[in-house]
Amino acid sequence: MLANSWNLLVVLGGVMALGISFGILSPFLVLQRRALIGDVVAHAALPGTVLGFLGAAAAGFDPRSSWWLWGGAIGTGALAIAALGGLERHGRLRRDAAMAAVLATGFGLGTALLSLVQQVALPGRAGLGGLLLGQAASMQAVDLLAAWAVMAAVLVVVVLLWKELLTVTFDPLFAKVAGLGGGRLEMILMALLLVAIATAMRSVGLVLLVALLVLPGVTARLLTDRMTRLVPLSAFMGALAALGGTLASTRFADLPTGAATVLAAATLFAMALAVRHGWLDRATSLPVRQLP
Amino acid sequence: MMIDEAFWQLDFPAIMAASFAAAACALVGSLLVLRRESLAGDALSHLVLPGIVVAWVVTGSLAAWAMLGGALAAALLGTSLLAALGRHRLIGPEAATGIVFTTMFAAGVVMLSQWVGRRVHLDVDHALYGNLEGVVWPDLTSLAGLLNIDVLAQAPRQLPMLASAIVVVAALLWMLRKEIVLASFDPENAALLGVPPGRIDRLVALLTATVVVASFESVGAILVVALLICPAATARLLTDRYGRQLLLATAIGLADCWIGYLIAVAGPPILGYDLALGAAGTIAFVSGLMLGIVLLVQRAMVSPGRGSAGPEGWTRAGT
């Protein structure tokens, strides 16, 4: 699928950086028991991406410009997080209903707008088709830079706010009492998530990036109980899945990188599950013959 | 929108398909909202993909029974995986959902790309975005056509599929109403009284899968998620009674469909554009908008802190 080695390097570097960013964020979301928030944000980022495309075209810029698409995605993604908070605070709807409602509403608007784009002749509209399943091969140098910038931001924030993040994750009540700024910390975490999702939309696709937000964290959680090991291990799992998925998609024609990456991450998860429960030992050890 | 021959051939069947889907979804969706399983619709609509692809490869047909069979098999596999992983101490239900549906969806995408390629029209995009505009009924040229048996025989295949889904869902919900309510609100007591909650869980999952698959082709996965949850959640804001919840959700779902379709078809021309919005997406957006409006109106009218969200706020009267 990937023609030459420069392309391959760009894609590999970009997808692996995204895998690491998601891998670092994943344990916090999983441990806070809201692994699917990324699903909601990613679906709700679709209308923003299309609006960004239309906005760029209307303002006379190149509608394929990544900046406009990212800006739009972050905009409606943030709206979705706000709407989610509003629905939950109202009190009568539970979180699952609020999440499903926001997800479907945002995505519905996105598909309605996409159908509009398909009826007008604008250059580059074909590029929007890959938002669902992702087109890693279309990654450009700017996407690579963005992925690395996001990774750096995630790393810096998590290292600097390590203690606070741990407190909020494991003891939100204490964090509140101690005045650790749960609200602000929450906003920082969501902002990181938003930016990471916006930059990953076109390469991994909005359905499949959810897997990279859940699988590495759970996989690492099966293998260790210590947070100082869990987060690096999760980042490593994300990078490994991205490497495996990208390389697999170069071997087989038409194999989408995003889907291959998810299957690689799922394989790692299954292996961790097997290790945790000792299935491998049992399968490889010889059966003990029972005496009559 | 003019009521002419084209209306009966193009718009009417599309509105009917959306309405049928809305009715079936509202019934099942109310259950999902009450049982706090709202994300099951989202998960199921994705994880049936590999089942549909395998069914297509094995039988070589895109007939309704093949798709439904494959999808239900995938749904059974997916829900058992979900339940097993969700019980795991270190994983939990939400992460399990995220793992199972994305992995099965990715497997479906890979199967599509490797086995099916671009040769046939088994389009992921259509399944996800929905193609309400594709539900056409060339033989229906006027209202009277609905009474003509020859015309009825030529109905687009989505309509009988959706109609049977409504019948199945409504009949099961009616016959098992006591068991479902008991198992959903008070699983421990239900087990004591001889209603195994696990069996009801599987039944709800299967009903959801049936509705999702029946609606797949016409309204698409995402509109299914919207129609499952948004009308049911809107009704949940307005009533605490089970029976009223089901009726109200259905009515709201139908209203969402009609308003959404009207906006999709008539909206852009009114603004002077010769375009149309995708009907499925617009309906999904309208259903969410309706939820937001009801919520805001309610918040303006009711003093804060009054509404209780728990099952304790529910009465079993009216069931």
Side-chain angles (χ1 to χ4, degrees), chain A residues 228-269:
Chain A
T228 41
R229 284 184 207 146
L230 206 160
V231 175
L233 192 60
S234 175
F236 176 70
M237 292 292 171
L240 204 60
L243 180 70
T246 312
L247 289 183
S249 71
T250 59
R251 286 292 307 266
F252 301 96
D254 291 332
L255 184 65
T257 310
T261 304
V262 173
L263 288 188
T267 310
L268 290 173
F269 165 72

Side-chain angles (χ1 to χ4, degrees), chain B:
Chain B
M1 200 158 41
M2 297 267 293
I3 307 280
D4 52 11
E5 221 169 78
F7 170 82
W8 295 106
Q9 287 169 329
L10 305 177
D11 296 306
F12 182 75
I15 295 172
M16 253 174 93
S19 307
F20 281 4
C25 286
L27 296 176
V28 178
S30 292
L31 278 186
L32 295 179
V33 168
L34 297 177
R35 293 165 53 89
R36 307 181 209 171
E37 292 173 346
S38 301
L39 288 163
D42 180 38
L44 278 170
S45 64
H46 287 92
L47 64 78
V48 295
L49 182 67
I52 292 176
V53 180
V54 169
W56 182 82
V57 171
V58 171
T59 66
S61 100
L62 277 173
W65 62 267
M67 271 179 60
L68 198 64
L72 285 181
L76 269 182
L77 174 69
T79 44
S80 343
L81 270 177
L82 245 169
L85 289 180
R87 270 196 305 270
H88 197 292
R89 186 175 58 88
L90 297 177
I91 300 174
E94 190 163 329
T97 309
I99 290 172
V100 173
F101 95 78
T102 51
T103 304
M104 287 183 71
F105 185 75
V109 170
V110 168
M111 287 176 193
L112 262 184
S113 72
Q114 297 301 300
W115 297 348
V116 184
R118 296 182 181 120
R119 283 167 292 131
V120 288
H121 194 74
L122 185 61
D123 205 341
V124 196
D125 283 16
H126 262 171
L128 286 178
Y129 294 144
N131 189 18
L132 208 47
E133 289 81 358
V135 187
V136 293
W137 197 341
D139 290 6
L140 187 72
T141 49
S142 67
L143 184 59
L146 285 176
L147 300 171
N148 187 330
I149 206 87
D150 296 327
V151 175
L152 280 179
Q154 295 299 317
R157 67 173 196 170
Q158 292 94 339
L159 291 183
M161 205 154 136
L162 283 165
S164 10
I166 295 181
V167 172
V168 169
V169 168
L172 279 171
L173 282 187
W174 177 251
M175 287 189 300
L176 296 173
R177 59 192 184 281
K178 277 188 192 140
E179 286 82 354
I180 291 175
V181 171
L182 192 58
S184 303
F185 289 115
D186 198 350
E188 281 158 27
N189 221 346
L192 282 177
L193 292 170
V195 180
R199 211 173 289 172
I200 298 290
D201 292 349
R202 275 196 293 280
L203 175 76
V204 173
L206 270 185
L207 284 181
T208 313
T210 311
V211 170
V212 164
V213 176
S215 319
F216 226 56
E217 208 185 340
S218 46
V219 301
I222 290 304
L223 181 51
V224 174
V225 179
L227 288 179
L228 274 171
I229 302 309
C230 291
T234 315
R236 178 68 191 90
L237 292 177
L238 299 172
T239 181
D240 278 340
R241 294 196 156 180
Y242 182 68
R244 242 179 249 173
Q245 161 80 35
L246 294 184
L247 291 179
L248 207 54
T250 312
I252 294 169
L254 291 176
D256 290 341
C257 279
W258 299 335
I259 297 171
Y261 194 84
L262 196 65
I263 292 177
V265 174
I270 287 176
L271 296 174
Y273 296 101
D274 187 23
L275 302 164
L277 288 161
T282 312
I283 293 174
F285 180 61
V286 165
S287 71
L289 212 57
M290 200 81 111
L291 173 65
I293 291 171
V294 169
L295 192 107
L296 288 178
V297 168
Q298 208 172 41
R299 197 147 75 176
M301 283 166 56
V302 181
S303 59
R306 185 188 151 270
S308 73
E312 64 277 3
W314 278 74
T315 54
R316 298 233 174 83
T319 54

Side-chain angles (χ1 to χ4, degrees), chain A residues 47-63 68-69 72 117 122:
Chain A
T49 312
V50 184
L51 281 176
F53 180 86
L54 288 171
F61 291 94
D62 181 3
W68 283 82
L69 304 187
V117 171
L122 285 174

Side-chain angles (χ1 to χ4, degrees), chain A residues 201-226:
Chain A
M201 288 264 288
R202 269 204 302 183
S203 46
V204 189
L206 65 90
V207 181
L208 300 169
L209 66 83
V210 180
L212 294 183
L213 271 174
V214 181
L215 278 165
V218 179
T219 308
R221 180 69 191 88
L222 288 170
L223 299 175
T224 178
D225 289 334
R226 296 182 69 104

